[in-house]
Amino acid sequence: MTVPAIQSPWHVHWPEAGDADAAARFVATFQTTAGEPDVPLAMLRAIGGNSPYLSELALREPAVLRDVAAHGPDAAAQRAFAALAATPFAATPDRVAAAMRQAKRTVALIAALGDIGGAWSLSRVTGALSRLAEETLQLGCRHLLARAHTRGEIILPAPERDPAEGSGLIVLALGKLGGRELNYSSDIDLIVFFDPAAAAFPSDTIAAFYARLARDLVTLMEARDAGGYVFRVDLRLRPDPAAMPLAVSVPAALTYYETVGRNWERAAFLKARPVAGDIGLGQDFLEALRPFIWRRHLDFAAIADINAMKRRMDAHRGGPIPNGPDPVARVTGHNLKIGRGGIREIEFLAQTQQLVWGGREPVLRVGATLPALRLLSRLRHMSSDTAAILTRAYRFLRQVEHRVQMVADRQTHALPETAFGVGSVATFMGFATPRAFAETLLTHLMAVQAIYDSYFDSRDDADVIEFGAPDTPPPIETLRRLQALGFADCPKIVAAIRRWLAGQPRALRSERARALLEPLLTHILTSLAAQPEPDHAFARFDHFIAGLPAGIQLLSLFQHNPALIDRIAALLGAAPALADHLALHPGSLEGLLASDETRADPARVLGRQLGDARTLEDSIGLTRHFVSEESFRIGVATLEGRMDVDAAGIARAALADAALGAVLGAVVASHTDRYGWLPGAGFAIVLMGKGGGREMMPGSDLDLMFIYDQAEEAAESVGPKPLAPSQWFARLTTTFTTALTAQGVEGPMYQVDMRLRPSGNQGPVAVSLPAFRIYHAEQAWTWEQMALTRARVVAGIDPFRTKVDAAILEGLRPRRTAALLRENAQAMRRRLLQELPPIGPWDVKLRAGGLMEVEFVAQVLQLIHFVDRPTLRSTTTRIALANLAEIGAIDGAEAATLIAADHLWRTIQTMLRLTVGEMTGLALPKPSARTLLAATDEATIEGLRLTIARTAEAVRDSFIRHIGDPGPIDAPAPHPPSRRR
């Protein structure tokens, strides 16, 4: 009798039968055993003609097949999990085991139908299989713990409600189950831990009890009977499996991972999560392991270890993709998991990048491969095209893997060894021909292999320079090679490299570090020789190597980012100041690996990194390191010409804003924990000077003002140690500034100057909003009003920030006539020329017609002309000048001249600070001169000096025109802050 062609309510496409005879036999048998079935014929033929295992399951569970056909796999799966959840953990062992096996058969059949018919995505299929493993493990653990409690082997705190709660048992899932991406016929990788102090025991056999429980759990999951089995279990990922028992105590595990844990174990723990036992205790255990798994420095050394493991697997079990004209023959027998271009390579690509970046980007700490690829792309650690190629390949390969495993429920990952077998898989996958399937598969495999090789294959440099044995004359050919490269003192170079290869520097004492160094030497020397003064560049690199605390991380970084060697060589050759910073803080190199686009929003990046902070000290340390690294990155980008001085000033100001906001948030949290909250408190951080103007240069300090207010009725804070309002704000401000200026390994986060607050150093460190208003309405000097033109609120409580913005605008309303403003500004500039004369010919800030005079013009004219146009005010000098030209307060051509002068002066200051620090003489070192000429688009130093002279003359003319002539006058002037910045 023919089965009617019933249409399924869920729209799917069933593959054809690979074996038509087997399909006909299955349909006939199903009709005989299940009666008149309301199941689509295409579904039955797809099962019977492609998978003996699914055919057997369908004959055993016909009701499940009818349920899926009638209602779809989602509803059927929901009923299957509900039935499993309804099984009492206190039931007999036979009943618990039977319920677990029933759930396995049911969910396996449902997941297969959802997968084959295309109703479920890959994540839905693997998610259902993972949930099945997780819930059967939970039932098994609760059952075993409850029985042990009944027998008096353990005393549980909640044996009737939840035996796992407070049991001390931790069952961690790793691998595919940990990532919720279990494949169709996968075993499950588990590690069983226990806390010996968590539960009460009537005897002293704690370790033996948990080991026995782990063994019983494995038996419950693996034992086969007429109902099948649940899951195969692998416990070999536990610490030192040859010596450790099946269940490992938490203290022993932590000691192991902290002392001898290896990189492959770190990679395995990327997917770790507690799936059974005391889930909260398992999460605490993983939190304790966080520093082992996730390193705060960029861990490129882990890549070498993991790639070495992958190469060993390739050598023993995987294998390359063969060449040839027949695509079917090329894929016959290929291992979809560990073969070239396979699933494992995609997983390794994702996991190694997670290990490298996840210590600083907590958002990357996900177990599943596809979300990891999406996040790596979103954070720009992997191109979107690469992530898309890997994602498509992963989905396809996993789908093929599932089809291969569904045939006979075998844990296999290899395609059949015959062309006929490959053709059967092609049909099961829905392809019209075996060739079409093989060509699609090869496209994915070759794409993955190419991407994998681009990340991991090391570049062998055949042009190696030999340095000979210690205590022997340098090889003649080596000296010739070094001389040809451009080095002068070649024997000195050879001697230094011999010291490196002998392991004398601390960073090169390990054999592994020296093995990483040797193939890089030719590249390093070639890059250093390309600098204007090769011997000086080499000496700085030698100093850099000598100061490194460790070498493996850095050399691994070079190995996987060879272009970084060229960038560092240029840095060492042109910028001794940055080179000295690098020697003291080699971790700053990590910032160079992030693109400028990635760091366009430093507040967001810093916020992600602060996810690891647990204390105020953690927050300060992480922020300080971030500021140091980012400042270095911005400096290098400026030196390399990828950022001009305007973009760099904006980037540094954005970095300062992010740091101030992060530190203030952490300080306020710590402060309120200690002293409580002050009712009605409002506070804001005001940034002035170069930071306020978003024109920060290397080494710029922060001109800060802390403004606050509180409810009138607030007498003291509400908390553990109440303080009066003035004390509460004073301590908050002091803690905040201390956090910013505290010394760390990178030095202080920032130098802070608070002398621009009302009354300067004589006044309180925190200024109340009423006092600020009164001071600027009645007492502020002209120079203080000028400084206020650059004031910008950067952090604080939002509603209060608006009030401070309004108070700043009110403070900018002139209390003096335009003539008096000009007179005071002229006298102030005169006094500065007397007290702070320029320190040399390159001091373009303080010289006549220099940067200070450009800023004076912009500030004075803003105070005069923007009183009724507050929206035209800008804290940035170049924007303020453009706005002044727009309203006719200054000629357009003159404004353009001043804007160009402002850019030139800041460019010169920035490049000199990056390369030589403070210049007092006339002659510039050749590397610094070359860098400065490139930044200013000048051909010669003489030409640049002429440009400087003409620009200064034009600026001085504008200053005289708009403010007055600050000639040498001995009369006293308003008191400006006497400092050089």
Side-chain angles (χ1 to χ4, degrees), residues 178-211:
R180 293 185 175 89
E181 48 191 12
L182 208 60
N183 61 41
Y184 195 76
S185 185
S186 177
D187 57 7
I188 53 179
D189 294 304
L190 303 178
I191 307 182
V192 179
F193 298 106
F194 66 91
D195 182 353
F201 289 84
S203 66
D204 59 354
T205 57
I206 299 174
F209 167 79
Y210 286 109

Short mmCIF file of all heavy atoms in Angstrom, two decimals, residues 178-211:
data_model
loop_
_atom_site.label_atom_id
_atom_site.label_comp_id
_atom_site.label_asym_id
_atom_site.label_seq_id
_atom_site.Cartn_x
_atom_site.Cartn_y
_atom_site.Cartn_z
N GLY A 178 30.86 22.80 25.82
CA GLY A 178 31.10 24.07 26.49
C GLY A 178 30.69 25.25 25.64
O GLY A 178 30.17 26.24 26.14
N GLY A 179 30.89 25.14 24.33
CA GLY A 179 30.52 26.22 23.42
C GLY A 179 29.09 26.14 22.93
O GLY A 179 28.69 26.91 22.06
N ARG A 180 28.32 25.20 23.44
CA ARG A 180 26.93 24.96 23.01
C ARG A 180 26.86 24.70 21.50
O ARG A 180 25.96 25.16 20.82
CB ARG A 180 26.02 26.15 23.37
CG ARG A 180 25.83 26.35 24.86
CD ARG A 180 24.81 27.46 25.13
NE ARG A 180 24.53 27.60 26.56
CZ ARG A 180 25.22 28.38 27.39
NH1 ARG A 180 26.22 29.09 26.91
NH2 ARG A 180 24.91 28.46 28.66
N GLU A 181 27.83 23.93 21.01
CA GLU A 181 27.87 23.63 19.58
C GLU A 181 28.17 22.15 19.37
O GLU A 181 28.94 21.77 18.50
CB GLU A 181 28.90 24.53 18.87
CG GLU A 181 30.23 24.61 19.55
CD GLU A 181 31.15 25.70 18.99
OE1 GLU A 181 30.66 26.55 18.23
OE2 GLU A 181 32.34 25.68 19.33
N LEU A 182 27.52 21.30 20.17
CA LEU A 182 27.72 19.86 20.12
C LEU A 182 27.32 19.33 18.75
O LEU A 182 26.29 19.72 18.20
CB LEU A 182 26.86 19.22 21.21
CG LEU A 182 27.36 17.89 21.80
CD1 LEU A 182 28.73 18.05 22.43
CD2 LEU A 182 26.36 17.39 22.83
N ASN A 183 28.15 18.45 18.18
CA ASN A 183 27.77 17.88 16.89
C ASN A 183 26.90 16.64 17.09
O ASN A 183 26.61 16.24 18.22
CB ASN A 183 28.99 17.61 16.01
CG ASN A 183 29.96 16.62 16.64
OD1 ASN A 183 29.56 15.63 17.23
ND2 ASN A 183 31.25 16.90 16.48
N TYR A 184 26.50 16.04 15.96
CA TYR A 184 25.40 15.07 16.04
C TYR A 184 25.79 13.80 16.79
O TYR A 184 24.98 13.22 17.50
CB TYR A 184 24.90 14.72 14.64
CG TYR A 184 23.56 14.03 14.70
CD1 TYR A 184 22.41 14.77 14.95
CD2 TYR A 184 23.46 12.66 14.58
CE1 TYR A 184 21.18 14.15 15.08
CE2 TYR A 184 22.25 12.03 14.70
CZ TYR A 184 21.10 12.77 14.94
OH TYR A 184 19.90 12.16 15.08
N SER A 185 27.01 13.36 16.63
CA SER A 185 27.42 12.13 17.31
C SER A 185 28.70 12.38 18.10
O SER A 185 29.69 11.68 17.95
CB SER A 185 27.63 11.01 16.29
OG SER A 185 27.92 9.79 16.95
N SER A 186 28.65 13.41 18.92
CA SER A 186 29.85 13.83 19.64
C SER A 186 29.90 13.21 21.03
O SER A 186 28.86 12.95 21.64
CB SER A 186 29.86 15.36 19.77
OG SER A 186 30.97 15.79 20.53
N ASP A 187 31.12 12.98 21.50
CA ASP A 187 31.25 12.74 22.93
C ASP A 187 31.26 14.10 23.63
O ASP A 187 31.27 15.14 22.98
CB ASP A 187 32.49 11.92 23.27
CG ASP A 187 33.78 12.56 22.76
OD1 ASP A 187 33.71 13.72 22.28
OD2 ASP A 187 34.83 11.93 22.84
N ILE A 188 31.22 14.08 24.94
CA ILE A 188 31.21 15.34 25.68
C ILE A 188 32.45 15.40 26.56
O ILE A 188 32.77 14.45 27.27
CB ILE A 188 29.92 15.51 26.51
CG1 ILE A 188 29.65 14.31 27.41
CG2 ILE A 188 28.73 15.75 25.60
CD1 ILE A 188 28.40 14.44 28.27
N ASP A 189 33.17 16.51 26.45
CA ASP A 189 34.40 16.71 27.23
C ASP A 189 34.03 17.36 28.56
O ASP A 189 33.53 18.50 28.59
CB ASP A 189 35.36 17.62 26.47
CG ASP A 189 35.85 16.97 25.19
OD1 ASP A 189 36.40 15.87 25.27
OD2 ASP A 189 35.67 17.57 24.11
N LEU A 190 34.29 16.65 29.65
CA LEU A 190 33.95 17.14 30.98
C LEU A 190 35.18 17.11 31.87
O LEU A 190 36.10 16.32 31.68
CB LEU A 190 32.87 16.26 31.63
CG LEU A 190 31.55 16.09 30.89
CD1 LEU A 190 30.63 15.14 31.68
CD2 LEU A 190 30.86 17.42 30.68
N ILE A 191 35.19 18.01 32.85
CA ILE A 191 36.12 17.92 33.97
C ILE A 191 35.29 18.03 35.25
O ILE A 191 34.44 18.92 35.37
CB ILE A 191 37.18 19.04 33.96
CG1 ILE A 191 37.91 19.10 32.62
CG2 ILE A 191 38.19 18.81 35.07
CD1 ILE A 191 39.00 20.16 32.56
N VAL A 192 35.54 17.11 36.17
CA VAL A 192 34.81 17.11 37.44
C VAL A 192 35.74 17.64 38.52
O VAL A 192 36.83 17.09 38.74
CB VAL A 192 34.31 15.70 37.79
CG1 VAL A 192 33.57 15.72 39.13
CG2 VAL A 192 33.40 15.17 36.69
N PHE A 193 35.32 18.71 39.18
CA PHE A 193 36.05 19.28 40.31
C PHE A 193 35.17 19.19 41.55
O PHE A 193 33.95 19.00 41.47
CB PHE A 193 36.40 20.74 40.04
CG PHE A 193 37.30 20.97 38.86
CD1 PHE A 193 36.81 21.49 37.68
CD2 PHE A 193 38.66 20.66 38.93
CE1 PHE A 193 37.62 21.71 36.59
CE2 PHE A 193 39.49 20.88 37.85
CZ PHE A 193 38.97 21.40 36.68
N PHE A 194 35.79 19.36 42.69
CA PHE A 194 35.00 19.41 43.92
C PHE A 194 35.68 20.31 44.93
O PHE A 194 36.91 20.44 44.95
CB PHE A 194 34.79 18.01 44.52
CG PHE A 194 36.05 17.35 45.02
CD1 PHE A 194 36.48 17.51 46.35
CD2 PHE A 194 36.83 16.58 44.17
CE1 PHE A 194 37.64 16.91 46.81
CE2 PHE A 194 38.00 15.97 44.62
CZ PHE A 194 38.40 16.14 45.94
N ASP A 195 34.85 20.95 45.73
CA ASP A 195 35.35 21.78 46.83
C ASP A 195 35.23 20.96 48.11
O ASP A 195 34.12 20.70 48.59
CB ASP A 195 34.51 23.06 46.94
CG ASP A 195 35.01 23.99 48.04
OD1 ASP A 195 35.92 23.59 48.81
OD2 ASP A 195 34.49 25.11 48.15
N PRO A 196 36.34 20.53 48.69
CA PRO A 196 36.27 19.65 49.87
C PRO A 196 35.64 20.30 51.09
O PRO A 196 35.22 19.60 52.01
CB PRO A 196 37.75 19.29 50.12
CG PRO A 196 38.54 20.36 49.45
CD PRO A 196 37.73 20.82 48.28
N ALA A 197 35.54 21.64 51.09
CA ALA A 197 34.98 22.33 52.25
C ALA A 197 33.52 22.69 52.07
O ALA A 197 32.91 23.29 52.96
CB ALA A 197 35.79 23.59 52.55
N ALA A 198 32.93 22.36 50.92
CA ALA A 198 31.58 22.85 50.62
C ALA A 198 30.49 22.07 51.34
O ALA A 198 29.50 22.64 51.78
CB ALA A 198 31.33 22.82 49.12
N ALA A 199 30.64 20.77 51.43
CA ALA A 199 29.59 19.93 52.02
C ALA A 199 30.13 19.19 53.23
O ALA A 199 31.34 19.12 53.46
CB ALA A 199 29.06 18.95 50.99
N ALA A 200 29.22 18.64 54.01
CA ALA A 200 29.60 17.90 55.23
C ALA A 200 29.69 16.41 54.91
O ALA A 200 28.85 15.87 54.18
CB ALA A 200 28.59 18.14 56.34
N PHE A 201 30.70 15.76 55.47
CA PHE A 201 30.90 14.34 55.25
C PHE A 201 31.03 13.64 56.60
O PHE A 201 31.75 14.11 57.49
CB PHE A 201 32.16 14.08 54.42
CG PHE A 201 32.03 14.50 52.99
CD1 PHE A 201 32.25 15.81 52.61
CD2 PHE A 201 31.67 13.57 52.03
CE1 PHE A 201 32.13 16.20 51.30
CE2 PHE A 201 31.54 13.96 50.71
CZ PHE A 201 31.76 15.27 50.34
N PRO A 202 30.36 12.52 56.73
CA PRO A 202 30.48 11.79 58.00
C PRO A 202 31.81 11.07 58.16
O PRO A 202 32.15 10.62 59.24
CB PRO A 202 29.32 10.80 57.93
CG PRO A 202 29.08 10.59 56.47
CD PRO A 202 29.40 11.90 55.81
N SER A 203 32.55 10.92 57.08
CA SER A 203 33.85 10.26 57.17
C SER A 203 34.89 11.11 56.47
O SER A 203 34.60 12.21 55.99
CB SER A 203 33.78 8.87 56.52
OG SER A 203 33.55 9.01 55.13
N ASP A 204 36.11 10.62 56.38
CA ASP A 204 37.19 11.40 55.79
C ASP A 204 37.51 10.95 54.36
O ASP A 204 38.62 11.11 53.90
CB ASP A 204 38.45 11.30 56.66
CG ASP A 204 38.92 9.86 56.83
OD1 ASP A 204 38.21 8.93 56.36
OD2 ASP A 204 39.99 9.67 57.43
N THR A 205 36.55 10.39 53.66
CA THR A 205 36.78 9.87 52.32
C THR A 205 36.23 10.84 51.26
O THR A 205 35.55 10.43 50.32
CB THR A 205 36.13 8.50 52.14
OG1 THR A 205 34.72 8.63 52.42
CG2 THR A 205 36.75 7.49 53.08
N ILE A 206 36.52 12.11 51.44
CA ILE A 206 35.93 13.13 50.55
C ILE A 206 36.38 12.91 49.11
O ILE A 206 35.55 12.83 48.19
CB ILE A 206 36.33 14.53 51.04
CG1 ILE A 206 35.79 14.77 52.44
CG2 ILE A 206 35.80 15.59 50.08
CD1 ILE A 206 36.26 16.07 53.06
N ALA A 207 37.68 12.83 48.88
CA ALA A 207 38.18 12.69 47.51
C ALA A 207 37.67 11.41 46.88
O ALA A 207 37.28 11.39 45.70
CB ALA A 207 39.71 12.72 47.52
N ALA A 208 37.67 10.33 47.65
CA ALA A 208 37.19 9.06 47.11
C ALA A 208 35.71 9.13 46.76
O ALA A 208 35.27 8.56 45.75
CB ALA A 208 37.43 7.94 48.13
N PHE A 209 34.94 9.87 47.55
CA PHE A 209 33.50 10.00 47.26
C PHE A 209 33.28 10.68 45.91
O PHE A 209 32.51 10.20 45.07
CB PHE A 209 32.81 10.79 48.36
CG PHE A 209 31.42 11.23 47.99
CD1 PHE A 209 30.36 10.35 48.06
CD2 PHE A 209 31.18 12.52 47.52
CE1 PHE A 209 29.08 10.74 47.69
CE2 PHE A 209 29.91 12.92 47.15
CZ PHE A 209 28.86 12.03 47.23
N TYR A 210 33.94 11.80 45.69
CA TYR A 210 33.72 12.53 44.44
C TYR A 210 34.27 11.77 43.23
O TYR A 210 33.69 11.82 42.14
CB TYR A 210 34.35 13.92 44.51
CG TYR A 210 33.57 14.89 45.37
CD1 TYR A 210 34.06 15.31 46.59
CD2 TYR A 210 32.34 15.38 44.95
CE1 TYR A 210 33.35 16.20 47.39
CE2 TYR A 210 31.62 16.27 45.74
CZ TYR A 210 32.13 16.67 46.95
OH TYR A 210 31.40 17.55 47.74
N ALA A 211 35.36 11.05 43.41
CA ALA A 211 35.89 10.23 42.31
C ALA A 211 34.89 9.13 41.95
O ALA A 211 34.66 8.84 40.77
CB ALA A 211 37.23 9.63 42.70
#
